[in-house]
Amino acid sequence: MLLLTPKRLASLLLTASTAVVNADTCDEVEALGTIEVSRPLNPTYITEQAQYWSTSCSALKPTCILFPRSASQVSQILTHLSTTNEPFAIKSGGHNPNNYFSSVSGGPLISTQHLSHAYLDPTTGILDAGPGNRLDGIAAKLQGTGWTFVGGRIGNTGVGGLVLGGGLSYMSAQYGWAASNVLAYELVFANGTIANVTATSHADLFKALRGGLNNFGIVTNYRLQARRQGDVWGGNLVFPLRSDDTDKKLLAAVRDFTEYNTDDKAAVIVTAERANLNLVDSWILFLFYDGGTPPEGTFKNFTDIGPLLDTCRTRTYADLMASSNWAVVKASVVDIATETIPLPSRANKAKVMDALHAHWRNVSSTALGLDVPGIVASIAWQPFPRRIAQQAKRLGPDLIDADDEVDRIIIEMNYSFLPQSQYERMADTVQATYEGVRKSVLGWQADGTLPQAYLPLFANYGFYRQDYFGRLRPENRALARRVAQEVDPNGLFRTRTGGWRP
């Protein structure tokens, strides 16, 4: 795994070619007079820096923030960057909490905020959308058209990072990943060249962009196939006081839903939340149905457990997206990690599900006992039925390349806390959480408790210490590496901005 850590970044800059001009991109772009450049202490700089989900990213200070409004302006920025040795970053919504993935210190930040167009053909449903859109914003723009974007589940999420990481949607069992619905990418390469990337014009690059993250250029437009949609039904079920009995019932319910639900319009996320001093120890479920009313019994396994609060109702998709932003923890450092597990059999569901949840409770209990203020720990159990893989394959190749031989569950593990000084210490807690899950899964696969299966990591939830590309199929990792070297032979994106590298 090649990860551009701050230490590695510093080393690369120190050994950069002496032929590189000692220039400053902020000054050069500002001299053009056509691209907005915001410096520290400027209100637009301060506002943009505050838009990250994690305060650890906000604390990294770019030398300036550049706000291009077109692919040609992005091209100009990259042309200037190629003459310097500065680190840089590209930011869509700032929802990736890993430091340096969409944040930077000591170099320019390219914000896609003004690339927030959304042009819909109301007849075909073809949508041209910029990476500066957020899910709630694009849902509001499409409200009333009868079409929707197959995006994520939290409204504040940026479109750019979501789609490049794959993008899990409430509608994935119908339409695959968010990336599965991309028809073309307008991409600015490291040398400033602009291309329209499709499955026919650049077959390997098109595949690599579906799950390949920020390794190939800057996407300035996604041409998407929107999907027909009217009212939806959704909201939350809240179990404010968890118990061992509630834990077992909800874990069994999400496992059974993953295997037995046959209605592709229905989706759930089952989350447990804990906080310091036991102020919170609860379950919050997200329920969704792509229609005004779900058929009777669709979510019976969950509702029969007896939530204290049920906010589910018929509403617009835009309203659902706008109402989801309460889930974003404000003014905290945020860490997110993930694991993918094969669905346990009905006979082994209690053994597997209960043990993995107990592991999370044990590690999170240790974390809650640390002298780290403001800790909130959560785990989300998210069905990954084989139908998602079937739909993704139907809509074209991607790097994730999941097969439809088994059902799976994607586990998301979050910790948020207040002091930025505890970033590395809490990173160890995050690592202990996901490594414990992985170790258990491998042990159960060895003894036959769980089936053998390809288990890729879901990039949008990945932690910087995890090996995203190492968990892909070797041939797909090799394709991504080859394509990255072809389109960026000088390694602008590989060596000067953060993220996972193939």
Side-chain angles (χ1 to χ4, degrees):
M1 174 177 62
L2 179 58
L3 178 67
L4 194 59
T5 62
K7 185 177 293 185
R8 177 175 174 77
L9 181 60
S11 174
L12 287 166
L13 293 181
L14 286 172
T15 57
S17 170
T18 55
V20 172
V21 177
N22 185 22
D24 181 275
T25 299
C26 296
D27 290 342
E28 293 189 352
V29 172
E30 193 167 41
L32 296 174
T34 55
I35 300 172
E36 181 182 351
V37 180
S38 186
R39 304 281 187 167
L41 302 182
N42 187 292
T44 57
Y45 179 105
I46 295 168
T47 300
E48 184 68 15
Q49 279 296 99
Q51 297 303 309
Y52 289 103
W53 280 22
S54 177
T55 58
S56 65
C57 296
S58 297
L60 298 173
K61 300 303 182 185
T63 50
C64 71
I65 304 179
L66 308 174
F67 294 90
R69 294 179 179 271
S70 65
S72 62
Q73 290 190 347
V74 172
S75 173
Q76 289 177 299
I77 291 169
L78 288 179
T79 299
H80 285 290
L81 268 173
S82 67
T83 68
T84 79
N85 59 6
E86 303 160 290
F88 70 98
I90 309 104
K91 178 173 177 281
S92 173
H95 63 279
N96 190 310
N98 292 307
N99 286 355
Y100 301 99
F101 278 41
S102 61
S103 53
V104 65
S105 179
L109 174 68
I110 303 168
S111 168
T112 62
Q113 179 189 125
H114 295 322
L115 295 169
S116 58
H117 57 275
Y119 307 127
L120 175 72
D121 183 324
T123 301
T124 63
I126 293 177
L127 171 67
D128 285 295
N133 284 288
R134 295 177 188 268
L135 299 182
D136 50 8
I138 201 168
K141 292 172 183 177
L142 295 177
Q143 177 57 35
T145 66
W147 297 94
T148 194
F149 163 60
V150 179
R153 285 78 55 85
I154 304 298
N156 192 251
T157 304
V159 167
L162 174 87
V163 178
L164 289 176
L168 184 60
S169 171
Y170 283 132
M171 294 168 279
S172 285
Q174 298 180 79
Y175 309 119
W177 311 109
S180 304
N181 296 273
V182 179
L183 303 175
Y185 301 85
E186 181 181 66
L187 183 70
V188 185
F189 293 111
N191 65 3
T193 303
I194 303 170
N196 186 51
V197 179
T198 69
T200 52
S201 67
H202 303 77
D204 287 347
L205 176 57
F206 184 79
K207 177 178 178 179
L209 284 166
R210 289 180 161 194
L213 307 163
N214 63 342
N215 287 286
F216 313 103
I218 299 177
V219 178
T220 51
N221 182 70
Y222 296 92
R223 175 155 287 185
L224 302 156
Q225 180 60 63
R227 302 297 176 176
R228 288 288 187 185
Q229 188 178 68
D231 283 343
V232 301
W233 178 94
N236 302 110
L237 303 182
V238 181
F239 302 79
L241 300 174
R242 55 79 50 189
S243 67
D244 290 345
D245 184 59
T246 302
D247 292 356
K248 292 178 183 297
K249 288 179 178 178
L250 287 172
L251 292 167
V254 69
R255 181 264 164 214
D256 292 346
F257 182 90
T258 305
E259 181 174 14
Y260 296 122
N261 173 59
T262 59
D263 191 337
D264 292 341
K265 294 183 177 182
V268 299
I269 308 172
V270 177
T271 70
E273 317 276 342
R274 309 184 69 191
N276 280 128
L277 305 176
N278 291 320
L279 296 175
V280 175
D281 199 351
S282 63
W283 288 89
I284 303 175
L285 279 57
F286 296 74
L287 272 56
F288 174 84
Y289 191 79
D290 189 6
T293 306
E296 186 176 355
T298 302
F299 300 104
K300 180 177 172 60
N301 281 8
F302 303 103
T303 56
D304 279 357
I305 299 171
L308 187 64
L309 178 65
D310 181 349
T311 69
C312 296
R313 58 181 174 85
T314 302
R315 61 215 302 178
T316 65
Y317 187 67
D319 177 64
L320 181 69
M321 285 292 98
S323 69
S324 65
N325 287 327
W326 65 265
V328 181
V329 180
K330 302 290 187 180
S332 293
V333 181
V334 177
D335 287 331
I336 304 177
T338 187
E339 263 302 336
T340 307
I341 69 169
L343 193 72
S345 66
R346 189 176 183 88
N348 290 323
K349 68 179 177 182
K351 175 181 178 180
V352 171
M353 302 292 283
D354 293 357
L356 292 181
H357 196 71
H359 163 71
W360 170 75
R361 287 194 65 84
N362 288 337
V363 178
S364 59
S365 290
T366 300
L368 294 173
L370 297 175
D371 55 342
V372 179
I375 293 180
V376 177
S378 68
I379 186 169
W381 302 86
Q382 307 190 44
F384 182 2
R386 63 188 73 193
R387 183 67 171 158
I388 293 177
Q390 292 170 357
Q391 292 301 315
K393 286 185 177 296
R394 178 180 68 85
L395 292 167
D398 56 62
L399 285 188
I400 303 167
D401 197 18
D403 57 81
D404 59 4
E405 295 176 2
V406 298
D407 298 310
R408 302 169 177 85
I409 291 178
I410 293 173
I411 302 174
E412 177 188 356
M413 296 153 278
N414 295 1
Y415 291 91
S416 60
F417 51 97
L418 294 178
Q420 296 172 23
S421 61
Q422 299 299 307
Y423 187 82
E424 289 298 326
R425 183 183 185 189
M426 287 301 298
D428 293 338
T429 299
V430 177
Q431 185 170 343
T433 308
Y434 68 75
E435 283 187 342
V437 173
R438 180 64 171 166
K439 181 179 179 181
S440 294
V441 168
L442 292 175
W444 285 323
Q445 287 182 310
D447 68 18
T449 300
L450 286 175
Q452 296 295 325
Y454 165 57
L455 300 173
L457 291 174
F458 182 54
N460 297 112
Y461 297 157
F463 191 54
Y464 72 93
R465 294 183 181 180
Q466 294 185 283
D467 188 2
Y468 167 69
F469 281 102
R471 293 281 290 274
L472 296 178
R473 298 186 191 279
E475 62 270 26
N476 287 331
R477 183 180 192 177
L479 180 144
R481 183 185 296 117
R482 173 175 59 79
V483 171
Q485 291 171 344
E486 289 173 355
V487 301
D488 182 15
N490 294 324
L492 181 74
F493 291 97
R494 288 195 302 278
T495 64
R496 289 171 54 190
T497 191
W500 293 295
R501 302 295 172 235

